[in-house]
Amino acid sequence: MAATLTMDIPHDSVLLLAYGGPERIEDVRPFLDNILRGRPVSRERYEAVVHHYELMGGRSPLNDLTSRQAEGLRAALAADGPALPVYFGMRFAPPFLYTVVRDMIRDGRRRAVAIVMAPYRSAPSFEYYQNDLQSVLDAAGPGVAPLVDWVDPWFDHPLFAEAQADQVRRALSRIPDDRRDAVRLIFTAHSIPIRVANLCPYAAQIEAACTNTARHLDGLPWQLAWQSRSGDGQTPWLEPDVNDVLRLLKQDGVADVVLCPIGFISDHVEVLYDLDIEAAQTCRDLGLTMTRAESVNDHPTFALALADLVRSRMADGRRRTGE
């Protein structure tokens, strides 16, 4: 009976879940403290991340980009149906998940399609979002909180690959024609400890997304590198690091590289610092010419991918909490 009642409740909204970021320099430390929640991190690493935000003016672009992605999805659904309101909430910064759930309850929403704004599955990029949202829904109570149907990780969606490939093509267009044939493409993604990678499909899904994107790029040579490593330096993480790859390419005689942060869907502070500052400095030191492709950001094809995910989940017709 309960399953039948669930089936009878139509989808009336979409909920996007993202990481969040500080809006002002004075928000940076509270933001980091909220992420860490007492977990031990060296003071040196903590202050280094604060400095990264200082270099960016103390503000993350992620919230604005997520808002634009939500608007693009809203427009795509309005154009081809079904026209649904699109909400978005953050794990670590306003608008927090409890805020957006409150707004959905206020607006009378009863059943939502939920998309984690990370294509790949690992505990931090999928299950943690589910758990945090479920805690908020449980606090609101049954019959009050909206039902939520989760979209599975969508690393292999063809329109995601098309959108990312178009961003790479735009980067390639900024390289002179006579040098373009010798360009090497480096896809990058956030490294994670190998012990974590061995327990989830994250690395394999990243590689699949690279392969799918490269199919649109006419045989452009590419490889995958990792960025944003943290931790104590003793724990093995996914390698090679992007800066090490750049050094090897220079030794091989490569002159031009395009960096594509395929592991991210927004050009937030990790992308801006690790690639536009740190990797760019490595390239200058080596004498490499670096061009950086944007993440999918608010690319219109990416909005179509999100809309297709919503429609597919609605058509599935089953309420899931994520296997």
Side-chain angles (χ1 to χ4, degrees), residues 6-27:
T6 297
M7 294 283 289
D8 289 341
I9 300 174
H11 293 93
D12 56 15
S13 52
V14 180
L15 173 59
L16 306 183
L17 296 91
Y19 198 81
E23 295 284 349
R24 306 170 301 167
I25 189 62
E26 52 265 40
D27 296 333

Short mmCIF file of all heavy atoms in Angstrom, two decimals, residues 6-27:
data_model
loop_
_atom_site.label_atom_id
_atom_site.label_comp_id
_atom_site.label_asym_id
_atom_site.label_seq_id
_atom_site.Cartn_x
_atom_site.Cartn_y
_atom_site.Cartn_z
N THR A 6 3.02 6.15 -2.74
CA THR A 6 4.16 6.91 -3.22
C THR A 6 4.05 7.13 -4.71
O THR A 6 4.32 8.23 -5.21
CB THR A 6 5.47 6.15 -2.89
OG1 THR A 6 5.59 6.06 -1.48
CG2 THR A 6 6.67 6.89 -3.46
N MET A 7 3.65 6.09 -5.46
CA MET A 7 3.52 6.21 -6.90
C MET A 7 2.47 7.24 -7.28
O MET A 7 2.56 7.88 -8.33
CB MET A 7 3.15 4.85 -7.49
CG MET A 7 4.23 3.80 -7.35
SD MET A 7 5.55 4.01 -8.54
CE MET A 7 4.70 3.54 -10.04
N ASP A 8 1.47 7.42 -6.43
CA ASP A 8 0.38 8.33 -6.74
C ASP A 8 0.77 9.79 -6.55
O ASP A 8 0.03 10.68 -6.98
CB ASP A 8 -0.83 8.02 -5.86
CG ASP A 8 -1.51 6.71 -6.26
OD1 ASP A 8 -1.27 6.26 -7.40
OD2 ASP A 8 -2.25 6.16 -5.43
N ILE A 9 1.88 10.05 -5.90
CA ILE A 9 2.30 11.44 -5.68
C ILE A 9 3.15 11.89 -6.85
O ILE A 9 4.22 11.33 -7.10
CB ILE A 9 3.10 11.57 -4.37
CG1 ILE A 9 2.24 11.14 -3.17
CG2 ILE A 9 3.60 13.00 -4.18
CD1 ILE A 9 2.99 11.09 -1.86
N PRO A 10 2.71 12.87 -7.62
CA PRO A 10 3.48 13.29 -8.79
C PRO A 10 4.70 14.12 -8.40
O PRO A 10 4.72 14.78 -7.35
CB PRO A 10 2.49 14.14 -9.58
CG PRO A 10 1.57 14.70 -8.54
CD PRO A 10 1.44 13.62 -7.49
N HIS A 11 5.71 14.06 -9.23
CA HIS A 11 6.86 14.94 -9.03
C HIS A 11 6.44 16.38 -9.29
O HIS A 11 5.80 16.68 -10.30
CB HIS A 11 7.99 14.57 -9.97
CG HIS A 11 8.60 13.23 -9.69
ND1 HIS A 11 8.19 12.06 -10.30
CD2 HIS A 11 9.59 12.86 -8.83
CE1 HIS A 11 8.90 11.04 -9.85
NE2 HIS A 11 9.75 11.49 -8.96
N ASP A 12 6.84 17.26 -8.37
CA ASP A 12 6.45 18.67 -8.51
C ASP A 12 7.63 19.63 -8.36
O ASP A 12 7.44 20.84 -8.28
CB ASP A 12 5.36 19.04 -7.50
CG ASP A 12 5.76 18.76 -6.05
OD1 ASP A 12 6.97 18.54 -5.79
OD2 ASP A 12 4.86 18.75 -5.18
N SER A 13 8.88 19.11 -8.33
CA SER A 13 10.03 19.99 -8.11
C SER A 13 11.32 19.23 -8.38
O SER A 13 11.33 18.00 -8.48
CB SER A 13 10.03 20.54 -6.67
OG SER A 13 9.92 19.48 -5.73
N VAL A 14 12.40 20.00 -8.47
CA VAL A 14 13.74 19.46 -8.62
C VAL A 14 14.61 20.09 -7.54
O VAL A 14 14.47 21.28 -7.23
CB VAL A 14 14.34 19.77 -10.01
CG1 VAL A 14 15.75 19.20 -10.13
CG2 VAL A 14 13.44 19.24 -11.12
N LEU A 15 15.50 19.29 -6.96
CA LEU A 15 16.42 19.78 -5.94
C LEU A 15 17.85 19.46 -6.37
O LEU A 15 18.19 18.29 -6.57
CB LEU A 15 16.11 19.14 -4.59
CG LEU A 15 17.10 19.43 -3.45
CD1 LEU A 15 17.19 20.92 -3.18
CD2 LEU A 15 16.69 18.66 -2.19
N LEU A 16 18.66 20.49 -6.52
CA LEU A 16 20.08 20.33 -6.80
C LEU A 16 20.85 20.48 -5.49
O LEU A 16 20.58 21.39 -4.71
CB LEU A 16 20.57 21.37 -7.81
CG LEU A 16 19.81 21.48 -9.13
CD1 LEU A 16 20.47 22.51 -10.02
CD2 LEU A 16 19.71 20.13 -9.83
N LEU A 17 21.82 19.59 -5.26
CA LEU A 17 22.64 19.64 -4.04
C LEU A 17 24.09 19.85 -4.43
O LEU A 17 24.64 19.12 -5.25
CB LEU A 17 22.50 18.35 -3.24
CG LEU A 17 21.12 18.03 -2.68
CD1 LEU A 17 20.31 17.19 -3.67
CD2 LEU A 17 21.22 17.27 -1.37
N ALA A 18 24.71 20.87 -3.84
CA ALA A 18 26.10 21.19 -4.14
C ALA A 18 26.87 21.42 -2.84
O ALA A 18 26.31 21.42 -1.75
CB ALA A 18 26.19 22.41 -5.05
N TYR A 19 28.17 21.61 -3.00
CA TYR A 19 29.07 21.70 -1.86
C TYR A 19 28.93 23.02 -1.12
O TYR A 19 28.89 23.07 0.09
CB TYR A 19 30.50 21.55 -2.38
CG TYR A 19 31.54 21.20 -1.33
CD1 TYR A 19 31.70 19.88 -0.91
CD2 TYR A 19 32.37 22.17 -0.80
CE1 TYR A 19 32.66 19.55 0.03
CE2 TYR A 19 33.33 21.85 0.14
CZ TYR A 19 33.48 20.54 0.55
OH TYR A 19 34.42 20.22 1.48
N GLY A 20 28.87 24.11 -1.87
CA GLY A 20 28.80 25.44 -1.29
C GLY A 20 30.17 26.07 -1.14
O GLY A 20 31.20 25.41 -1.23
N GLY A 21 30.18 27.39 -0.94
CA GLY A 21 31.43 28.11 -0.77
C GLY A 21 31.18 29.45 -0.10
O GLY A 21 30.05 29.96 -0.09
N PRO A 22 32.22 30.04 0.48
CA PRO A 22 32.06 31.33 1.18
C PRO A 22 31.80 32.46 0.20
O PRO A 22 32.29 32.46 -0.94
CB PRO A 22 33.40 31.51 1.90
CG PRO A 22 34.37 30.72 1.08
CD PRO A 22 33.62 29.55 0.54
N GLU A 23 31.04 33.44 0.65
CA GLU A 23 30.72 34.61 -0.17
C GLU A 23 31.60 35.80 0.16
O GLU A 23 31.73 36.72 -0.65
CB GLU A 23 29.24 35.00 0.05
CG GLU A 23 28.24 33.98 -0.42
CD GLU A 23 28.08 33.97 -1.93
OE1 GLU A 23 28.58 34.90 -2.57
OE2 GLU A 23 27.46 33.03 -2.45
N ARG A 24 32.20 35.81 1.36
CA ARG A 24 33.04 36.94 1.79
C ARG A 24 34.25 36.37 2.52
O ARG A 24 34.23 35.25 3.02
CB ARG A 24 32.28 37.87 2.74
CG ARG A 24 30.94 38.39 2.22
CD ARG A 24 30.18 39.09 3.34
NE ARG A 24 29.93 38.16 4.46
CZ ARG A 24 29.50 38.52 5.66
NH1 ARG A 24 29.29 39.80 5.91
NH2 ARG A 24 29.30 37.62 6.62
N ILE A 25 35.31 37.18 2.59
CA ILE A 25 36.54 36.70 3.23
C ILE A 25 36.29 36.34 4.68
O ILE A 25 36.88 35.38 5.20
CB ILE A 25 37.66 37.76 3.10
CG1 ILE A 25 39.00 37.18 3.57
CG2 ILE A 25 37.32 39.02 3.86
CD1 ILE A 25 39.50 36.00 2.77
N GLU A 26 35.39 37.05 5.36
CA GLU A 26 35.13 36.72 6.76
C GLU A 26 34.34 35.43 6.92
O GLU A 26 34.20 34.91 8.04
CB GLU A 26 34.40 37.87 7.46
CG GLU A 26 33.15 38.36 6.77
CD GLU A 26 33.42 39.56 5.86
OE1 GLU A 26 34.46 39.57 5.18
OE2 GLU A 26 32.56 40.48 5.85
N ASP A 27 33.81 34.89 5.80
CA ASP A 27 33.09 33.62 5.86
C ASP A 27 34.01 32.42 5.67
O ASP A 27 33.58 31.28 5.88
CB ASP A 27 32.02 33.57 4.76
CG ASP A 27 30.94 34.61 4.93
OD1 ASP A 27 30.70 35.03 6.08
OD2 ASP A 27 30.35 35.03 3.91
#
